[in-house]
Amino acid sequence: MSIDPRDGGGPERAEVRHDTPPERSPAAVLPRHGSGLVARILTVVYALVVTPIATGLLAYGGSALGNYAMSRGYIDASLAQLLTGTAGARVIIGVGLGILLLASVVATGVVSSAGLLAVGGLGLISAVISAVPGLALQIYQQLSPTVPTEVLQGISYGLPLVLHPLLGGLGLALVIARRRPAPHLVSSLLGLLLVPAGLLIAALMLFQGHAAGLNVALMTFSTHIHPLNAVLVVLGALLLYLAAAASRWSPYALVIPAIVLLLASVGSLLFTIDLIPPAVWNSQAGQAAMTLLFVGGGFAAAAVMLVHTAVLAIVRARSRRRLRVSAGTAA
């Protein structure tokens, strides 16, 4: 016999009813926002293992791509000849596989945001290394006997400095989207302008601080920290993280910068460097930005943004469906 509160058992005794459907139980009313513990652990392990490998592959293959882009105006060779030549396998495997692995890390956000958030921690390490150029030189010297030079040059290219905070910010966007999947229309429209602007400002700060600090360290072999360069790197990495996270409020805001990066990357490989405005080469930030494009960093960042846009759409759809079920159950 079931106990009914109308029989004097009191509302607190109604919880022991055995004929209460599972979807009507108090536990079912509470929506579950996050992922399971196993999913979080697996995505963190995967991201922390795969992301450094992917970044290293990108740097390894991208160095050959960068050499081609820099000498495009002095050699009579097409991009097709490069890819079918001796360096082609290195470019295809390094850049292609590196981008695919980074995209797979972003794709784990469908299951859990923990892996991407962990990559944000790698971004903090990258920012510290770039803010202290002397530390970067020491790491280079210590690892040079065992690690290929092309991979170590990834630090000077700024690949981890840009990609790792970007991935971390995308993870934060997914965390928020799981709890509040329906952004306001006004914020979505504003984000189409503010998110790309934030990414651009952050990138300029990162490139300027990173390039200026590294150039001083290489010319003087000094381990001193230049305060302005260090501040630019740290604040730029933080702004990049927050701008990526803001994609939660404007789910399609990353599509525009992704398209721009793809066009700029293709243009840097198809046209000679003579077509690039002199003002770009006269700026340390401009030189660093072009180097990142030459080595495939633009392709990688664009792929990450586009995959995240799809992942964010899936996460938002699941969260809305879960909230609808919870609301119906509570009713």
Side-chain angles (χ1 to χ4, degrees), residues 13 29 33 77 102 179 188 192 212 227 250 261 265 268 313:
R13 298 187 63 183
V29 176
H33 299 300
L102 287 174
R179 288 159 173 77
S188 296
L192 294 176
S250 188
L261 283 173
S265 299
S268 68

Side-chain angles (χ1 to χ4, degrees), residues 27 46 58 67 89 111 144-145 159 178 299:
Y46 181 81
L58 188 61
N67 292 336
V111 180
S144 58
L159 289 172
R178 282 187 163 90
F299 289 118

Side-chain angles (χ1 to χ4, degrees), residues 165 201-203 205-206 231-241:
I201 295 173
M205 294 173 65
L206 281 174
V231 169
L232 285 175
V233 169
V234 174
L235 291 183
L238 178 60
L239 180 58
L240 180 63
Y241 186 95

Side-chain angles (χ1 to χ4, degrees), residues 256-275:
I256 295 176
I259 294 175
V260 171
L261 283 173
L262 288 175
L263 294 176
S265 299
V266 172
S268 68
L269 297 176
L270 296 181
F271 304 103
T272 65
I273 60 176
D274 296 334
L275 296 179

